[in-house]
Amino acid sequence: MFRIHIGDFRCTAFHGVFPEERAIGQEFIVDVEVMLPAGRMVVTLEQTIDYSRLLQIVREGMAEPEQLLETVAMKIADRIGEEYPRVTGINISIEKAAAPITNFGGRVGVRYEKRCDGPVADILPAPRM
């Protein structure tokens, strides 16, 4: 199995429950890991996942304001799964670089794991009629 990842992607986005978060925006740190079966030798880009396209999906998802990071993570994972149906799993971490919490200097965020059924069609023979 391959684990294809993008780490430490930083962007400004407008997610949050508080009006200030949605108006001013804040910095987010995103990590994405996508699992892909490694049955055959991978020699072309079409057999794997294009990092630049994966990053574009993340950028597009982060650009759509939502109140909850859970929603953002789930939407990004769904888009990845739709575009790459052979994917067997997706892990996404989205953190606020500076949480809007008094007397707290750390980061907060969400981690989402999605398991997919993608490669089953590639492995199992078609049912007989």
Side-chain angles (χ1 to χ4, degrees), residues 1-2 5 19-20 22-23 26 33 35 43 50 57 64 70 74 85 87-88 94 104 108 110 123:
M1 174 170 305
F2 287 107
H5 65 95
E20 311 82 55
R22 296 173 68 92
Q26 57 192 310
E33 180 182 57
M35 280 68 78
V43 294
D50 182 343
I57 292 169
E64 296 177 18
E70 290 86 345
M74 292 176 85
V87 163
T88 59
I94 304 174
F104 178 73
V108 298
V110 299
I123 297 169

Side-chain angles (χ1 to χ4, degrees), residues 6-114:
I6 293 175
D8 233 12
F9 169 64
R10 293 172 182 262
C11 66
T12 299
F14 299 88
H15 309 298
V17 175
F18 301 113
E20 311 82 55
E21 295 177 293
R22 296 173 68 92
I24 299 169
Q26 57 192 310
E27 183 181 24
F28 291 89
I29 303 163
V30 182
D31 295 313
V32 178
E33 180 182 57
V34 179
M35 280 68 78
L36 191 67
R40 298 182 208 144
M41 181 65 65
V42 176
V43 294
T44 67
L45 186 57
E46 290 74 27
Q47 293 173 296
T48 188
I49 293 176
D50 182 343
Y51 301 115
S52 63
R53 178 62 189 134
L54 186 60
L55 183 57
Q56 182 180 357
I57 292 169
V58 172
R59 280 188 174 130
E60 291 168 359
M62 291 301 292
E64 296 177 18
E66 296 287 350
Q67 286 193 351
L68 301 176
L69 294 181
E70 290 86 345
T71 306
V72 178
M74 292 176 85
K75 284 184 170 185
I76 291 171
D78 287 348
R79 286 184 187 142
I80 293 169
E82 289 167 7
E83 183 141 344
Y84 295 101
R86 291 189 60 237
V87 163
T88 59
I90 302 163
N91 296 328
I92 299 177
S93 169
I94 304 174
E95 296 181 330
K96 294 181 178 188
I101 301 172
T102 305
N103 296 325
F104 178 73
R107 298 188 315 217
V108 298
V110 299
R111 289 194 177 139
Y112 176 60
E113 295 182 13
K114 179 176 181 172

